[in-house]
Amino acid sequence: MKKNSKHFITFLFLIVSFYSLAQSSEQFGVSIVKYGAKPAKNWQTAIDNSSAIQKAIDENPGRLIFIPSGIYLLGKEIKITHDVRLVGESKYSTILQPINNDGIYVNAGGVFLENFFIYGRGKTGITINNVRNTTITNVLLQNVQYGIKLVNAWNTKISNLDIDINNNQNPKVLKGIILSGQSVNNYITNSQISAVDVGIEIQKSDKKSEGLIISNVGIFSAKKGINNEGILSLHINNSIIDLCEEYALDIKNTAGLLVSNSWLNSTGSNNTQTIRLFSTWDSHFSTNNIKNGKGTSVILLEDYSNNNIFTNNTIEFVDSNKESVVLGKTTGRNLIKNNNFKSSSNKNLKINNLGGSSNKIIDNINIDLND
């Protein structure tokens, strides 16, 4: 009797344990399949799943919404208005395809977006609007016109993001990441943006954005790598901005720009510069490799760009018959010091200082690549 009682208690314990595990699992997350979503294995059988995904989000605030591998057409934009964690199985196998509309619109704080692929036929992949503390990680965006828009967004962390194009599809990605309004303390890291018109754009606003960190980011084959219309405190480090048709960095109306340990290269095919500072002050460029192909110069400072420092950089101009650095007439108190200038046949430093004696050019080295 005692033996049977012991077995019964063990059996009862197992039943309770499995029930508790099931309950905790259910509390942790829910699959969109439970709400009628039907993942397709190929494009021919894919259907519109936007209503099922929307219902799963709306009915489960604060929980994990799981999207299994498969193809899901989105006939309507997905709107997130409370905190959830929207998680796919993989950013290569969980595919969301907007049909001539935007992809995901976030209007709630504390949202996590992870592990999925937004593929073409849409306008904006992800919009973060007037919220704080959003995380976007392991997301692939391809052939949307605009990758991610941050509108008055604070404390957004973007990591392991890929934005590029499929050459067999349209449209081309116009802009990878856009910051507008007053977007503050945002962070972009370990990401790659390729074959776009503009990699990252900070748009002009009455209330300037503040505090953007770009770290370990690659921007390749863009017309402009970073186009900045105005921000307070922009830090770029350990990044590669390469093969830009126009500017690698086009920086306007900015204070507190810090660029370090990065590769910046423009092909210069449109007679521009690798770096242009316009009405920009208190910036510091150090230990970067800065190169230009056929532009008008490698670096241009103009329109009251003052108190900027370039130290310990390698600056190379393929066209050695032009000035490597041009300091405009209204510039002042800029420092060009301890840089290595490279060219193919230039024995003298080619720095055109139109701003006068308050600009300091000290202890730079010219390297002839033919020596």
Side-chain angles (χ1 to χ4, degrees):
M1 182 66 182
K2 291 183 179 180
K3 186 175 182 180
N4 290 336
S5 298
K6 185 177 180 181
H7 288 165
F8 176 76
I9 292 171
T10 302
F11 176 75
L12 184 61
F13 174 78
L14 290 173
I15 292 294
V16 171
S17 297
F18 282 125
Y19 177 79
S20 298
L21 182 62
Q23 287 293 98
S24 63
S25 177
E26 180 65 18
Q27 289 172 4
F28 178 68
V30 60
S31 172
I32 62 169
V33 175
K34 179 179 178 180
Y35 289 84
K38 296 180 180 179
K41 293 183 179 180
N42 54 63
W43 297 105
Q44 290 73 24
T45 60
I47 63 171
D48 182 2
N49 284 276
S50 54
S51 295
I53 296 172
Q54 188 68 64
K55 187 175 181 181
I57 292 170
D58 291 344
E59 295 186 6
N60 294 279
R63 298 178 65 186
L64 185 150
I65 312 300
F66 178 63
I67 311 176
S69 293
I71 300 171
Y72 305 86
L73 302 185
L74 302 180
K76 296 182 293 185
E77 182 182 37
I78 302 300
K79 295 183 178 180
I80 301 177
T81 57
H82 51 239
D83 63 316
V84 294
R85 188 166 185 162
L86 190 64
V87 180
E89 193 165 339
S90 163
K91 75 175 182 179
Y92 301 107
S93 65
T94 298
I95 303 171
L96 309 177
Q97 185 177 60
I99 305 173
N100 300 319
N101 51 262
D102 294 340
I104 297 173
Y105 179 89
V106 177
N107 191 216
V111 171
F112 288 74
L113 305 175
E114 306 175 48
N115 298 340
F116 53 80
F117 177 7
I118 296 180
Y119 178 74
R121 294 177 65 186
K123 296 178 181 179
T124 302
I126 300 171
T127 300
I128 311 298
N129 186 42
N130 283 294
V131 296
R132 302 185 180 219
N133 304 320
T134 306
T135 299
I136 303 171
T137 186
N138 294 323
V139 171
L140 170 61
L141 296 119
Q142 194 172 83
N143 287 87
V144 291
Q145 292 183 38
Y146 307 103
I148 297 176
K149 287 184 179 180
L150 305 181
V151 184
N152 296 316
W154 292 47
N155 307 326
T156 308
K157 183 178 181 180
I158 299 172
S159 64
N160 299 309
L161 173 74
D162 290 291
I163 300 177
D164 59 20
I165 63 169
N166 181 328
N167 291 325
N168 297 319
Q169 298 290 327
N170 286 308
K172 179 180 179 179
V173 181
L174 300 179
K175 297 175 182 179
I177 299 174
I178 299 172
L179 281 74
S180 64
Q182 189 180 32
S183 292
V184 177
N185 295 341
N186 297 295
Y187 182 39
I188 305 168
T189 185
N190 297 328
S191 298
Q192 179 171 310
I193 303 171
S194 302
V196 299
D197 280 354
V198 179
I200 299 172
E201 180 169 273
I202 304 157
Q203 296 181 339
K204 187 176 181 179
S205 175
D206 292 337
K207 294 183 177 180
K208 284 187 177 182
S209 294
E210 299 181 34
L212 174 63
I213 297 176
I214 300 170
S215 179
N216 296 303
V217 170
I219 301 174
F220 304 98
S221 301
K223 286 185 178 179
K224 292 185 179 182
I226 296 176
N227 183 42
N228 173 26
E229 299 289 342
I231 191 172
L232 301 175
S233 186
L234 169 61
H235 293 184
I236 304 167
N237 64 79
N238 299 320
S239 294
I240 299 174
I241 304 176
D242 197 15
L243 300 174
C244 294
E245 185 179 335
E246 296 179 4
Y247 305 95
L249 301 180
D250 192 7
I251 308 295
K252 307 178 187 72
N253 305 311
T254 293
L257 168 65
L258 174 62
V259 184
S260 61
N261 300 315
S262 295
W263 169 268
L264 309 170
N265 176 34
S266 172
T267 60
S269 58
N270 286 333
N271 294 319
T272 53
Q273 299 83 34
T274 303
I275 297 171
R276 179 172 71 165
L277 303 186
F278 184 94
S279 297
T280 291
W281 61 99
D282 296 335
S283 63
H284 191 175
F285 290 76
S286 64
T287 60
N288 302 289
N289 283 279
I290 308 168
K291 183 177 180 180
N292 191 285
K294 298 180 181 179
T296 56
S297 61
V298 183
I299 299 167
L300 172 64
L301 278 64
E302 58 182 340
D303 197 58
Y304 300 97
S305 290
N306 302 322
N307 299 317
N308 300 291
I309 299 172
F310 288 79
T311 60
N312 300 305
N313 302 285
T314 297
I315 301 169
E316 181 178 350
F317 202 177
V318 174
D319 189 342
S320 59
N321 295 314
K322 300 176 183 177
E323 291 93 357
S324 296
V325 177
V326 176
L327 305 174
K329 290 182 180 180
T330 59
T331 64
R333 301 182 302 279
N334 297 291
L335 177 63
I336 314 295
K337 182 178 180 180
N338 292 333
N339 299 285
N340 293 326
F341 285 82
K342 291 183 178 181
S343 64
S344 58
S345 60
N346 184 15
K347 295 294 184 183
N348 299 306
L349 289 174
K350 287 204 170 184
I351 299 177
N352 190 355
N353 180 16
L354 302 173
S357 59
S358 68
N359 291 318
K360 302 299 181 183
I361 301 168
I362 304 170
D363 298 330
N364 298 285
I365 299 173
N366 191 65
I367 301 172
D368 191 333
L369 297 177
N370 292 324
D371 288 347

